[in-house]
């Protein structure tokens, strides 16, 4: 098959959810099962396409492991361009896999308590995929707005007072971030005359002093918008309340949305502000490092102080964001591969935990919560009793094992993927640091250990209150569509542990490509339009 035709696959993860989402609006809500089936089929096709792109980028089918789609057959930087490389294809797989799990979880109840859930879900997936694939800042803004608009409706889905209050805060914060996004894009275009990332990377080194100042100001304003989405302190105040208020499947998707900001910063920073960008090289590295440390510390304190499971998940996401932002500031390819491994592991675990929270809440009653707090406050202990053992209901056994799995990955305890991710970061961070950079590395390692300890204490406390203080509670009823997504997400963490070596090798190839922007620039700007019926190949391809 011609590579030009294979390039059409890059459009599918954006086009299919857009078409399906629009079509589902016209299907009456009474046909819930039909809408669910169409939504599920669309997500599975997107997942298959993402896996295909992952293979195409890693097997040499696409030149330099980068596929380029020219919308309307217009060459960059004048036309809209979508770019798929190993890292963006991996994020597509993560988005589709997480969407499939969240959608399956919603089938039992959540997708039926409001209108247009399935359409909004597809538009959210469209925005996520577009943000991972776009090659210019203007279309990044478009996809961001599609993603955010869909998330507004989903966050308010099945509304109650708490959800409306958190939703209004979430909407206000993101509208302000969008306003800053537009200002930053306008300043960048006014100073550099382009919004295509590959074109900007070529132009930035030749900017005069006045234009460079304007360009860097625009980039800084743009960074504030992305860092708001990445939950950097103090811009992360909206996140814990939103996670706690959102319905479980929406909360699981919001975990990935937080990582979109990090992905965009990584992509723009390593392409536009690479070592070849002259005086603008590594712009804001110190800010990323210290902001990441502050975010990590804030998340650890919030995690230790939290009593509500939803807020624990929110602060866990803040901890992971702080870790990723601080690691990014070192601009080391091997270290970034470990950071992406950590991103995958933490995203899957926190999403599984948010889905699990609702199932665990069925075990907790007000009486047992008061009893657990009283026993903790007054150091009361149960009298030892002789027992020949007790049968553990299957539902409680599943919840207990799933909770332990989530806690191990989030806290970074062996033997699951969270431990491997943190150990890999520790190893690569010390290997990449020497002399003056050793002290920042040690500070980051110390805060990561403190955050892990806070996660252990907080989650252990939650587990005691949920499982040990409710021994007389009847086992909850679990629908297979609720248990399966949690199991699948945790199984993915187990597979990451078992297949850590080949996965790490792939991530090294992916981050090496991102750290070599020359190939990205050459592929994007060198892609020629497909010859038309009246245009010869020699005229179309110089």
């Amino acid at each position: 098959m011609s590579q030009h035709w294979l390039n059409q696959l890059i459009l599918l993860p954006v086009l299919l959810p857009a078409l399906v989402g629009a079509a589902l609006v016209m299907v009456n809500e009474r046909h819930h099962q039909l809408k669910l089936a169409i939504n599920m089929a669309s997500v599975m096709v997107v997942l298959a396409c993402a896996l295909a792109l992952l293979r195409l980028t890693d097997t040499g089918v696409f030149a330099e492991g980068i596929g380029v789609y020219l919308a309307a057959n217009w060459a960059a930087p004048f036309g809209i361009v979508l770019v798929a490389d190993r890292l963006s294809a991996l994020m597509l797989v993560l988005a589709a896999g997480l969407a499939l799990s969240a959608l399956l979880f919603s089938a039992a109840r959540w997708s039926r308590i409001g209108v247009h859930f399935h359409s909004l879900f597809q538009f959210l997936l469209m925005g996520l995929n577009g943000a991972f694939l776009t090659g210019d800042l203007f279309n990044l803004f478009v996809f961001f707005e599609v993603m955010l608009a869909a998330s507004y409706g989903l966050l308010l889905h099945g509304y109650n007072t708490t959800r409306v209050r958190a939703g209004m805060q979430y909407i206000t914060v993101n509208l302000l971030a969008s306003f800053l996004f537009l200002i930053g894009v306008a300043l960048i275009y006014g100073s550099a005359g382009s919004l295509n990332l590959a074109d900007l990377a070529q132009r930035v080194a030749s900017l005069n002093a006045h234009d460079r100042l304007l360009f860097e100001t625009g980039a800084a304003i743009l960074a504030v918008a992305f860092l708001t989405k990445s939950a950097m302190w103090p811009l992360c105040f909206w996140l814990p309340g939103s996670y706690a208020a959102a319905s479980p499947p929406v909360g699981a998707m919001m975990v990935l949305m937080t990582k979109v900001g990090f992905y965009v910063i990584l992509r723009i920073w390593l392409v536009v502000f690479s070592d070849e960008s002259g005086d603008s090289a590594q712009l804001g590295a110190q800010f990323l490092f210290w902001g990441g440390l502050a975010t990590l510390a804030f998340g650890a304190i919030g995690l230790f102080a939290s009593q509500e499971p939803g807020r624990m998940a929110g602060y866990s996401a803040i901890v992971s964001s702080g870790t990723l932002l601080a690691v990014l500031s070192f601009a080391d390819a091997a270290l970034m591969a470990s950071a992406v491994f950590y991103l995958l592991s933490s995203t899957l675990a926190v999403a599984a935990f948010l889905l699990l929270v609702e199932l665990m809440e069925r075990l907790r009653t007000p009486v047992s919560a008061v009893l657990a707090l009283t026993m903790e406050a007054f150091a009361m202990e149960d009298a030892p009793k002789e027992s020949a053992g007790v049968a553990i209901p299957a539902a409680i056994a599943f919840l207990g094992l799933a909770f332990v799995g989530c806690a191990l990955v989030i806290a970074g305890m062996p033997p699951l993927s969270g431990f491997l991710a943190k150990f890999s970061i520790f190893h690569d961070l010390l290997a990449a640091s020497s002399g003056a950079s050793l002290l920042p590395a040690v500070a980051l390692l110390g805060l990561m250990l403190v955050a892990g300890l806070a996660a252990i204490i907080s989650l252990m406390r939650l587990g005691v209150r949920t499982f040990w203080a409710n021994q007389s509670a009847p086992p909850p009823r679990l629908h297979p569509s609720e248990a399966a997504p949690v199991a699948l997400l945790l199984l993915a963490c187990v597979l990451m542990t078992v297949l850590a070596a080949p996965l790490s090798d792939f991530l090294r190839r992916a981050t090496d490509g991102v750290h070599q922007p020359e190939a990205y620039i050459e592929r994007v700007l060198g892609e020629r339009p497909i010859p038309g019926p009246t245009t010869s190949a020699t005229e179309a391809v110089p």
Side-chain angles (χ1 to χ4, degrees):
M1 185 181 292
S2 169
Q3 182 172 321
H4 286 306
W5 287 106
L6 289 176
N7 286 344
Q8 310 302 311
L9 282 176
I10 302 173
L11 179 63
L12 189 61
V14 177
L15 181 62
L16 182 62
L19 295 177
V20 172
L24 287 174
V25 172
M26 297 181 287
V27 180
N28 193 286
E29 293 294 330
R30 291 177 296 178
H31 304 295
H32 167 74
Q33 293 299 327
L34 175 61
K35 299 186 76 167
L36 176 64
I38 295 174
N39 196 352
M40 190 76 71
S42 173
V43 173
M44 293 178 70
V45 172
V46 170
L47 177 59
C49 180
L51 290 171
L53 288 174
L54 192 69
R55 179 172 177 80
L56 291 173
T57 56
D58 197 44
T59 55
V61 176
F62 289 146
E64 304 290 342
I66 301 172
V68 180
Y69 174 81
L70 302 178
N73 211 29
W74 280 75
F78 306 106
I80 297 172
V81 59
L82 300 178
V83 186
D85 60 4
R86 294 181 181 91
L87 182 59
S88 60
L90 179 65
M91 296 303 292
L92 290 178
V93 173
L94 177 62
L98 197 56
L100 188 62
S101 299
L103 184 59
L104 183 59
F105 188 92
S106 70
R109 184 165 71 97
W110 286 104
S111 63
R112 289 178 288 180
I113 61 176
V115 296
H116 301 311
F117 173 87
H118 296 287
S119 294
L120 292 171
F121 195 90
Q122 285 291 304
F123 291 139
L124 176 66
L125 187 60
M126 171 198 170
L128 286 168
N129 292 341
F132 294 139
L133 291 171
T134 186
D136 66 87
L137 292 177
F138 179 79
N139 287 287
L140 177 62
F141 173 77
V142 173
F143 288 124
F144 248 74
E145 290 307 299
V146 171
M147 176 185 70
L148 291 174
S151 71
Y152 299 156
L154 288 172
L155 182 58
L156 296 172
H157 186 76
Y159 62 89
N160 55 36
T161 303
T162 303
R163 196 163 293 151
V164 169
R165 186 182 301 112
M168 291 301 102
Q169 182 187 67
Y170 173 81
I171 292 171
T172 302
V173 169
N174 281 284
L175 286 177
L176 290 174
S178 298
F179 178 67
L180 293 175
F181 198 143
L182 275 179
I183 293 176
V185 166
L187 290 174
I188 289 174
Y189 186 77
S191 58
S194 178
L195 292 177
N196 182 278
L197 297 182
D199 196 33
L200 285 174
Q202 285 194 331
R203 296 184 182 213
V204 63
S206 60
L207 294 177
N208 59 46
H210 177 268
D211 287 339
R212 182 181 300 279
L213 177 62
L214 196 62
F215 180 84
E216 292 180 353
T217 302
I221 294 174
L222 202 63
V224 174
F226 296 143
L227 291 173
T228 300
K229 201 67 212 166
S230 301
M232 176 183 273
W233 184 87
L235 304 173
C236 59
F237 64 91
W238 59 270
L239 190 145
S242 299
Y243 275 41
S247 63
V250 176
M253 293 303 296
M254 289 178 67
V255 177
L256 181 60
M257 290 173 62
T258 305
K259 301 303 183 291
V260 174
F262 167 77
Y263 171 85
V264 172
I265 292 172
L266 182 153
R267 178 69 70 182
I268 295 175
W269 195 57
L270 293 180
V271 172
V272 179
F273 299 105
S274 66
D275 294 333
E276 306 299 322
S277 59
D279 294 338
S280 296
Q282 306 299 321
L283 177 70
Q286 290 297 316
F287 179 79
L288 281 177
F289 175 75
W290 292 110
L293 286 190
T295 306
L296 184 55
F298 177 78
I301 295 171
L303 188 57
F304 184 77
S306 295
Q307 303 289 337
E308 186 181 349
R311 297 185 70 86
M312 291 180 189
Y315 283 112
S316 297
I318 291 175
V319 166
S320 65
S321 292
T323 303
L324 292 169
L325 292 171
V327 168
L328 175 60
S329 66
F330 287 87
D332 181 79
L335 182 57
M336 191 50 56
S338 299
V340 176
F341 191 101
Y342 174 76
L343 181 152
L344 297 174
S345 175
S346 63
T347 300
L348 293 171
V350 176
F353 180 66
L354 278 166
L355 297 180
L356 187 64
V357 163
E358 185 195 4
L359 308 182
M360 291 171 55
E361 288 293 333
R362 299 175 189 177
L363 279 172
R364 303 178 70 188
T365 63
V367 173
S368 63
V370 171
L371 177 60
L373 287 171
T374 304
M375 294 174 65
E376 180 179 327
F378 294 99
M380 297 170 58
E381 296 183 0
D382 287 332
K385 301 176 183 177
E386 264 187 50
S387 174
V390 60
I392 301 177
I396 295 180
F398 170 78
L399 293 179
L401 290 174
F403 175 76
V404 169
C406 291
L408 289 176
V409 178
I410 292 173
M413 297 290 290
L416 296 181
S417 56
F419 171 75
L420 296 181
K422 285 192 174 182
F423 184 84
S424 181
I425 289 177
F426 290 175
H427 175 271
D428 292 332
L429 190 59
L430 292 175
S433 304
S434 60
S437 64
L438 185 59
L439 185 59
V442 172
L444 176 56
L445 294 181
L447 271 178
M448 289 179 67
L449 291 174
V450 170
L453 179 61
I456 293 171
I457 296 173
S458 181
L459 293 170
M460 184 182 298
R461 185 172 58 205
L462 175 63
V464 168
R465 292 177 180 171
T466 302
F467 296 103
W468 288 2
N470 290 306
Q471 295 181 10
S472 60
R477 297 176 63 87
L478 301 181
H479 194 278
S481 66
E482 295 175 320
V486 177
L488 288 174
L489 292 175
L490 290 176
L491 179 61
C493 293
V494 173
L495 289 177
M496 287 182 62
T497 307
V498 175
L499 304 176
L503 178 58
S504 296
D505 290 340
F506 171 81
L507 294 178
R508 295 263 179 161
R509 295 193 296 274
T511 53
D512 283 343
V514 177
H515 277 79
Q516 297 171 359
E518 299 83 9
Y520 178 92
I521 296 169
E522 180 181 351
R523 285 287 292 117
V524 173
L525 299 181
E527 184 73 10
R528 297 293 98 190
I530 302 173
T534 59
T535 306
S536 66
T538 56
E539 292 174 329
V541 182

